[in-house]
Amino acid sequence: MDALLGSIARYLQRSFGYYSVAVYLVQPETRSCIMAGAAGMMATLLPKGHRVPFGTGIIGWVAEHGQYVLASDVRREPRYKPARMEATLSELAVPVRLLGEVVAVINVESDRLDAFDEGGVVAVDGIAAQVASAIRNARLFEEKVRALRNLEILQEI
């Protein structure tokens, strides 16, 4: 799953020239999001596995509320919490839904003001739908692998 989400983050960063892209998996049991893939500045600032609690910053807010946030100027966005010393000036975070449940958040950042518009929201939202399918398929694959391992263990008994 992490390799898949890392590839998606790198693809988005390269294809659209975003300053930073991160994909966070939502973990309802801990009420937090965990960074599973990143590219650009975010990949150098934060370690893989970085956690964001629900309700904290733009990412945590999107995970909790299931609505996108478009911050044209993060300096004027009360939900914005800088990760570390960074040059982010605008940010777009979009929920990834699977069967109506938020399972991930795609977060893109720019070092320019007003870098994103409604067209960007539509584009990232469309990618989020594809990411949801990829997450579903990866989960199904992981389930099949576990089932095969269990079957092998039973056959050894």
Side-chain angles (χ1 to χ4, degrees):
M1 181 80 73
D2 289 355
L4 170 69
L5 296 178
S7 295
I8 290 168
R10 287 187 299 279
Y11 170 78
L12 284 170
Q13 199 259 337
R14 277 193 318 266
S15 297
F16 294 97
Y18 294 140
Y19 168 75
S20 182
V21 178
V23 181
Y24 286 81
L25 284 175
V26 171
Q27 297 186 321
E29 63 279 0
T30 62
R31 294 193 41 79
S32 65
C33 305
I34 186 166
M35 188 170 70
M41 187 53 71
M42 197 59 64
T44 62
L45 287 176
L46 298 173
K48 185 176 172 184
H50 170 73
R51 288 188 181 276
V52 176
F54 280 12
T56 301
I58 291 174
I59 295 161
W61 190 91
V62 170
E64 186 173 42
H65 295 278
Q67 299 171 355
Y68 77 87
V69 171
L70 171 59
S72 296
D73 183 349
V74 296
R75 298 170 300 185
R76 296 178 187 201
E77 173 55 61
R79 294 169 286 198
Y80 178 72
K81 303 284 184 248
R84 292 209 177 136
M85 297 283 291
E86 59 180 288
T88 298
L89 291 175
S90 55
E91 183 171 354
L92 170 62
V94 175
V96 176
R97 285 189 174 74
L98 185 58
L99 301 173
E101 175 187 345
V102 178
V103 295
V105 175
I106 298 174
N107 188 66
V108 294
E109 298 180 8
S110 177
D111 56 356
R112 295 179 296 116
L113 291 172
D114 300 313
F116 310 108
D117 58 14
E118 290 303 318
V121 173
V122 170
V124 175
D125 194 49
I127 292 165
Q130 298 301 313
V131 171
S133 293
I135 289 172
R136 183 191 70 235
N137 291 339
R139 286 179 175 175
L140 289 171
F141 179 76
E142 289 172 353
E143 286 175 21
K144 297 297 180 191
V145 167
R146 275 194 300 277
L148 284 172
R149 285 186 186 142
N150 290 338
L151 184 58
E152 289 172 357
I153 290 169
L154 286 174
Q155 288 177 342
E156 291 174 5
I157 295 178

